[in-house]
Amino acid sequence: MRILFSIGLLLVLLTSCGGNSPKKKQKELSVDQLYKKYPDSVPILIKHGNLMLERYDYEKALQDGAKAYRMQESNIEARFLYANALNNRANRTASDVMSAQHHFKYVVKKQPKNTQALVALATTYAQQGDNEKAFYYINEALRIDKKYRDAYILKGSIYLSMDNRKLAKSSYQTAVEQDPEFFAAYIKLGLIYQEEGDPLCIQYFITATQIRPNNIEAYYNLAYAYQQFDKIPEAQQTYREMLKKDPTFTPPLFQLGWIKQFKQNDIDSAIYFYNETLQKEPRYVEAWHNLGLAFETKGEKYQAIQYYRKALKYNPEFSISEDAIKRLSK
């Protein structure tokens, strides 16, 4: 079923004043502005809900989807939005998955060639551990569109859950071949190769940072990969670039301290970076512990114990600090 009014048509209807006299062109409203102005418009609710999905704000998307679905139960797009948000929110329950599955089945019945709905339905089966049915619906989507990116992504995720890394990598690689700008697939491929100890992960993380140059997590993955594979100057430069982009993000400071301490044996510089880390995040347990190690290296055992105790204050189960205190207290 198609939406009765497109957003563009609705804008025309809302801004039309009648008559043939020249009118000053009105500025087109954004989706957010339309949403505030016309909160009971089903087409706008759906448009706004899908925008919330793109922003990963699943709770707001769920509110929009639920409202649109209540207002027009026969509206396929409203039902699909509601089910999609329900199935993607972080705190979803088994009941949520079953409910979403019910709605996706309805959509697929009404629109058997809807590849998005087929893959969404497959996702619910994957979440229930029924990979056979998940693959069935994935393959149904690929029979309709053999280049459908999201089908390959779900395949990769299922294979990864089965610990079949070879097929997972193949599926994710096929996904980026269909969509060379697909950021998430590069991150997934990078993480798989990184866990396998393969420096090829660096190239995938580089591509991810090129696609989203303001994504701090992508830069952190890249910097840590450089560090892991002993490309220390590159790691340090990337961590510094991250701090320029987001000075509040503390892991780069900690890692710069770690490099100074364990790769360059520059204890004083390491202490500086750990202190900078703790000024911004006093609960950074690993920074307290590494300060203890740094002062232990300098032969200042009493000061080292104080830092180990700080680590235990914020995490009483941080056993390596407890072991260090026992070692130094003998």
Side-chain angles (χ1 to χ4, degrees):
M1 176 175 289
R2 299 180 64 181
I3 296 177
L4 295 177
F5 294 101
S6 68
I7 293 298
L9 178 57
L10 187 59
L11 280 170
V12 171
L13 293 173
L14 293 172
T15 57
S16 176
C17 297
N20 297 317
S21 59
K23 301 184 294 293
K24 184 178 179 180
K25 187 176 180 181
Q26 296 188 26
K27 184 178 179 182
E28 185 173 303
L29 298 177
S30 69
V31 174
D32 288 322
Q33 289 170 327
L34 283 168
Y35 180 73
K36 290 178 181 178
K37 194 168 185 178
Y38 305 101
D40 294 323
S41 165
V42 171
I44 292 175
L45 281 167
I46 293 170
K47 190 77 172 177
H48 187 264
N50 285 321
L51 181 61
M52 293 301 101
L53 286 177
E54 291 175 11
R55 295 175 181 173
Y56 306 105
D57 193 337
Y58 298 116
E59 291 303 320
K60 288 184 179 177
L62 183 61
Q63 292 173 15
D64 292 339
K67 184 175 180 179
Y69 176 56
R70 284 195 304 268
M71 294 175 69
Q72 287 185 9
E73 291 189 10
S74 60
N75 190 309
I76 297 294
E77 292 182 72
R79 186 186 285 251
F80 184 75
L81 169 62
Y82 171 64
N84 214 10
L86 190 65
N87 196 48
N88 276 285
R89 64 176 182 167
N91 60 341
R92 66 175 177 268
T93 64
S95 177
D96 290 335
V97 175
M98 289 182 65
S99 178
Q101 188 177 88
H102 167 75
H103 291 298
F104 290 141
K105 283 181 177 179
Y106 178 89
V107 175
V108 167
K109 184 178 179 180
K110 295 291 184 180
Q111 299 178 345
K113 292 188 177 182
N114 185 329
T115 53
Q116 190 178 2
L118 285 164
V119 170
L121 179 56
T123 300
T124 63
Y125 282 111
Q127 289 164 343
Q128 293 170 339
D130 191 342
N131 291 334
E132 184 177 349
K133 281 191 177 179
F135 279 124
Y136 170 79
Y137 286 107
I138 290 170
N139 291 330
E140 284 293 301
L142 290 173
R143 269 192 277 272
I144 296 165
D145 181 2
K146 65 180 180 180
K147 294 184 177 182
Y148 189 48
R149 181 199 73 182
D150 292 355
Y152 293 108
I153 284 293
L154 182 54
K155 265 193 171 185
S157 298
I158 293 173
Y159 283 131
L160 199 57
S161 72
M162 298 166 64
D163 204 29
N164 190 331
R165 291 173 176 267
K166 181 178 179 180
L167 289 180
K169 288 188 290 187
S170 175
S171 297
Y172 290 136
Q173 187 62 50
T174 304
V176 298
E177 288 169 4
Q178 309 314 312
D179 182 1
E181 298 295 309
F182 190 34
F183 170 82
Y186 290 104
I187 294 293
K188 287 179 180 291
L189 282 164
L191 291 172
I192 293 173
Y193 281 107
Q194 187 175 33
E195 289 176 5
E196 292 178 344
D198 189 334
L200 182 60
C201 67
I202 291 172
Q203 296 306 315
Y204 286 106
F205 291 141
I206 288 174
T207 303
T209 62
Q210 291 170 342
I211 293 171
R212 293 192 184 175
N214 293 320
N215 188 287
I216 294 298
E217 292 295 336
Y219 269 90
Y220 188 74
N221 285 329
L222 174 59
Y224 194 77
Y226 279 138
Q227 183 176 329
Q228 179 180 356
F229 294 101
D230 221 26
K231 295 181 180 293
I232 300 304
E234 292 90 338
Q236 289 173 306
Q237 179 182 349
T238 308
Y239 285 132
R240 291 190 181 103
E241 288 176 11
M242 291 173 64
L243 290 170
K244 290 179 182 178
K245 291 177 181 289
D246 185 358
T248 66
F249 191 53
T250 52
L253 285 169
F254 173 82
Q255 295 298 348
L256 286 168
W258 189 95
I259 289 171
K260 289 294 183 182
Q261 184 173 12
F262 297 105
K263 290 294 184 179
Q264 298 174 338
N265 197 31
D266 185 347
I267 302 302
D268 289 336
S269 292
I271 290 171
Y272 165 80
F273 281 113
Y274 293 142
N275 281 326
E276 287 291 299
T277 303
L278 291 165
Q279 280 186 10
K280 295 182 178 181
E281 178 46 79
R283 296 168 298 177
Y284 209 124
V285 174
E286 292 82 358
W288 286 116
H289 178 80
N290 284 8
L291 270 175
L293 287 174
F295 278 91
E296 187 175 346
T297 301
K298 290 165 69 74
E300 299 180 31
K301 293 185 178 181
Y302 174 79
Q303 190 66 44
I305 290 174
Q306 303 312 307
Y307 287 124
Y308 291 138
R309 285 176 176 165
K310 278 282 191 179
L312 288 171
K313 173 186 175 182
Y314 291 109
N315 183 359
E317 297 180 358
F318 202 67
S319 59
I320 57 174
S321 287
E322 186 175 4
D323 292 341
I325 291 172
K326 291 177 180 177
R327 181 181 68 249
L328 293 179
S329 299
K330 288 182 180 178

